[in-house]
Amino acid sequence: AVVSTQSGHYGRGTEPGKGFLKYSDGKNSYIDVSMAHCGFIDTPVIVSSLHGSSHHWHATGGSAIYTPTRDSFRNYVYHKDGSYGLVRNMMWYIQYVAVGYIC
C-alpha cells in the first residue's frame, strides 16, 4: 500500500514592499509568489492575503489566486489610486497558506 502525505505550508509570504511588478495599466501591480521550496507534487490549495502597514484595507485582489501551479501563483492588486506606488511606501506583501501532497 502507498501512503500519501499532505503538507501544510504556513506563515510564508513575500518580503514587505518587494517583488511587485507594474501592471500593464501603468499604475497597478502584480506579484508572482514562489512556492518551489515547498516540494509539492501537484498544485496545492492556496489561500492568500494582502498585508502591509496601511491602505491595503481598500485594495482588491490580494486573495485572488491566478495561474496556480505546484511551484507558484500570481496575485493582481488593484487600488483606486494605483497600487504600484503604494506597494513600497506601505510595505505591502502577500501572506499565504498552501496545502497539498508532497509525496
Side-chain angles (χ1 to χ4, degrees):
V2 175
V3 177
S4 295
T5 303
Q6 279 198 322
S7 171
H9 196 71
Y10 304 98
R12 299 296 279 194
T14 61
E15 286 189 60
K18 297 184 179 180
F20 285 88
L21 301 172
K22 194 176 285 190
Y23 185 64
S24 61
D25 69 358
K27 63 181 194 171
N28 283 290
S29 55
Y30 68 94
I31 188 167
D32 292 316
V33 180
S34 176
M35 302 182 299
H37 58 282
C38 299
F40 293 117
I41 60 172
D42 203 356
T43 303
V45 174
I46 307 162
V47 177
S48 70
S49 180
L50 179 66
H51 293 251
S53 64
S54 186
H55 290 74
H56 57 291
W57 66 273
H58 52 94
T60 60
S63 62
I65 306 295
Y66 286 85
T67 60
T69 69
R70 67 183 187 179
D71 294 326
S72 66
F73 65 92
R74 177 175 283 187
N75 287 114
Y76 292 92
V77 179
Y78 172 82
H79 187 279
K80 67 179 178 65
D81 297 325
S83 67
Y84 189 71
L86 293 170
V87 167
R88 285 189 205 88
N89 295 339
M90 302 302 169
M91 302 302 285
W92 288 2
Y93 63 100
I94 299 293
Q95 194 78 340
Y96 71 90
V97 174
V99 179
Y101 291 101
I102 57 170
C103 64

